[in-house]
Amino acid sequence: MPENNNEIPDIVIGRLPLYLRALQYMVLEEQMVTSSKELAERLGISAAQIRKDLSQFGEFGKQGTGYQVEFLIKKLRQILNVDTIWDVIIIGAGDIGHGIARYPNFGAQGFRVVAVFDNNPNKIGTKIGDFSVQDSAVMPAIIKQSNIKIAMIAVPASQAQLVVDDLIQAGIKAILNYAPITINVPKGIQIQYIDPVMHLQKMTYYLK
Amino acid sequence: MPENNNEIPDIVIGRLPLYLRALQYMVLEEQMVTSSKELAERLGISAAQIRKDLSQFGEFGKQGTGYQVEFLIKKLRQILNVDTIWDVIIIGAGDIGHGIARYPNFGAQGFRVVAVFDNNPNKIGTKIGDFSVQDSAVMPAIIKQSNIKIAMIAVPASQAQLVVDDLIQAGIKAILNYAPITINVPKGIQIQYIDPVMHLQKMTYYLK
């Protein structure tokens, strides 16, 4: 869980990307105005919660007239710091590494994959889309040289902590970890986990 | 967000798999007893929150002596309904589908991938580990025949809603969706999302 140094709870921040995604679909559908009620129906979050979350950042809608979709998207992108493009690297060129390297939605959402690394000689030099897999040995130099702050790791669980330690040492500040293991990071470093087991176990609770 | 039909908040249920995973690492490290304080340090969740969450399900630890690791694992697995093995199917045999089909941790966590489906003739019949990719056309029959309740979908966003509709029609009750799109499901159907963008955007908030 990321540290939160201001007054807005981490859980609120975690919902903003969901709102942003729902609003972006409305743009595709050429919808100009929405309401907390409509967002609530799309997302399964209560309208009161959505209004409360958004009101923490400003006055984005009007009672009775709702939210201007494009305006709210712009504001959410500013709040989440994705009104810019972040360079992201991937470590691990296995199936998941391939999948995220080819993921089509990063560009529109504020991210650009700029390099893929692996320490397996059989993978170094192979192509993933437009990328040649690079040797992990050059990773720290590239992170520093290009001032990269974000990494996604898709390496075996046994290697994940060592990779993260190297990444942080080189200057990475935010890590999305696909390896099924909890990683220790110092204060001030963001880490998020993607683990299908966590999601499946949450759902089986409800499958009695 | 899943519906919650009893008094325990959904957010609490979502933390139980994290506790379970941390406890399972303690077993690997041959640790017999733990405390809410130690779990708190490992997980970045407050000790008070962990005690409060666990106390909703019973009296699992004693003041001063902490929690018996194996006992708490057993209880959490019962609560989450993963003291059994759930059959799971995968729809979509692309990179992500391959990655999750080969994911090594399902077995120990209550899940077993039993089939992979795709509608692309070039993929049908190809091998992923021990599986042959099957034609999506036979999917409904197999779901019904084997009474499968859980599916993971890794198909293009444009196909995801149609695939989910088919799955629910055939009897699936819980869906883990890797496609970058919000899906509509009827009440009583669980759906969870895995989207790297959501996690990255949450972290960039803190990268000022």
Side-chain angles (χ1 to χ4, degrees):
Chain A
M1 302 271 150
E3 294 286 324
N4 196 334
N5 296 317
N6 57 27
E7 288 157 33
I8 295 168
D10 194 52
I11 186 96
V12 175
I13 307 304
R15 284 191 289 260
L16 301 184
L18 296 173
Y19 302 157
L20 180 56
R21 183 169 67 177
L23 290 161
Q24 286 166 330
Y25 279 111
M26 290 177 184
V27 169
L28 292 181
E29 295 160 5
E30 300 185 352
Q31 183 180 337
M32 311 285 281
V33 180
T34 187
S35 63
S36 55
K37 184 164 174 288
E38 187 186 32
L39 282 166
E41 280 162 14
R42 291 204 178 208
L43 293 168
I45 299 169
S46 79
Q49 183 72 67
I50 293 170
R51 285 193 301 272
K52 191 178 162 202
D53 286 353
L54 294 174
S55 71
Q56 306 225 26
F57 300 94
E59 195 62 60
F60 299 137
K62 280 183 193 149
Q63 186 75 34
T65 59
Y67 301 103
Q68 298 290 323
V69 173
E70 294 271 19
F71 175 75
L72 189 50
I73 287 174
K74 189 178 159 202
K75 287 296 170 187
L76 284 173
R77 292 183 71 110
Q78 285 171 357
I79 293 164
L80 291 168
N81 290 321
V82 288
D83 49 350
T84 177
I85 298 283
W86 294 87
D87 288 346
V88 180
I89 58 171
I90 294 170
I91 303 93
D95 293 320
I96 295 290
H98 275 76
I100 52 180
R102 290 175 178 152
Y103 184 81
N105 274 41
F106 286 131
Q109 302 303 328
F111 305 97
R112 170 174 58 196
V113 175
V114 293
V116 181
F117 299 96
D118 205 293
N119 62 3
N120 180 339
N122 296 327
K123 289 182 178 163
I124 296 164
T126 60
K127 286 270 180 192
I128 303 182
D130 296 336
F131 304 104
S132 285
V133 176
Q134 298 183 70
D135 188 338
S136 297
V138 302
M139 184 179 76
I142 289 175
I143 291 169
K144 286 174 195 162
Q145 184 190 316
S146 304
N147 195 28
I148 293 165
K149 297 297 174 206
I150 305 175
M152 298 189 280
I153 72 167
V155 300
S158 59
Q159 296 178 29
Q161 182 71 56
L162 290 172
V163 167
V164 166
D165 293 345
D166 285 351
L167 289 170
I168 294 170
Q169 179 80 22
I172 290 290
K173 300 293 184 201
I175 295 156
L176 180 52
N177 174 35
Y178 281 80
I181 187 166
T182 301
I183 306 273
N184 295 312
V185 296
K187 215 165 171 157
I189 303 291
Q190 305 300 319
I191 186 157
Q192 291 266 308
Y193 295 90
I194 287 191
D195 184 347
V197 163
M198 301 289 114
H199 293 274
L200 293 175
Q201 288 183 338
K202 187 172 174 187
M203 293 193 291
T204 50
Y205 173 82
Y206 297 96
L207 299 185
K208 307 243 171 170
Chain B
M1 303 271 149
E3 294 286 325
N4 196 334
N5 297 317
N6 58 27
E7 289 158 30
I8 294 166
D10 194 54
I11 186 96
V12 174
I13 306 304
R15 284 191 289 261
L16 301 184
L18 296 172
Y19 302 157
L20 180 56
R21 183 168 67 180
L23 291 161
Q24 286 167 330
Y25 279 110
M26 291 177 183
V27 170
L28 292 180
E29 294 160 7
E30 298 183 354
Q31 185 179 337
M32 311 285 281
V33 180
T34 188
S35 62
S36 55
K37 183 163 173 288
E38 186 185 33
L39 281 167
E41 280 161 14
R42 289 204 180 207
L43 293 168
I45 299 170
S46 80
Q49 183 72 68
I50 293 170
R51 285 193 300 273
K52 191 177 162 202
D53 286 355
L54 293 174
S55 71
Q56 306 225 26
F57 300 95
E59 196 61 61
F60 299 137
K62 282 184 190 146
Q63 185 76 33
T65 58
Y67 301 102
Q68 298 291 324
V69 174
E70 294 271 18
F71 176 76
L72 190 51
I73 287 174
K74 190 179 157 203
K75 288 295 173 188
L76 284 172
R77 292 182 72 110
Q78 285 171 357
I79 293 163
L80 291 169
N81 291 322
V82 288
D83 50 352
T84 178
I85 299 282
W86 294 86
D87 288 346
V88 179
I89 58 171
I90 294 170
I91 302 93
D95 293 321
I96 295 291
H98 275 77
I100 51 179
R102 291 176 178 149
Y103 184 80
N105 273 41
F106 286 131
Q109 302 304 327
F111 304 97
R112 170 175 57 196
V113 175
V114 294
V116 181
F117 299 96
D118 205 293
N119 63 3
N120 179 339
N122 296 326
K123 289 182 178 162
I124 296 164
T126 60
K127 286 273 179 189
I128 303 181
D130 296 336
F131 304 103
S132 285
V133 177
Q134 299 183 70
D135 188 336
S136 297
V138 301
M139 185 179 76
I142 290 175
I143 290 169
K144 285 174 196 164
Q145 185 189 315
S146 303
N147 196 27
I148 294 165
K149 297 296 174 207
I150 305 176
M152 299 190 280
I153 72 169
V155 299
S158 59
Q159 296 177 28
Q161 182 70 55
L162 290 172
V163 167
V164 167
D165 293 345
D166 285 350
L167 289 168
I168 294 170
Q169 179 80 23
I172 290 292
K173 300 293 184 199
I175 295 156
L176 181 52
N177 174 36
Y178 281 80
I181 186 166
T182 301
I183 306 272
N184 296 312
V185 295
K187 212 163 174 159
I189 303 293
Q190 305 300 319
I191 187 157
Q192 291 267 309
Y193 295 91
I194 288 192
D195 184 346
V197 164
M198 301 290 113
H199 294 273
L200 293 175
Q201 288 183 338
K202 187 174 174 185
M203 294 193 290
T204 51
Y205 173 81
Y206 299 95
L207 297 185
K208 307 242 170 171

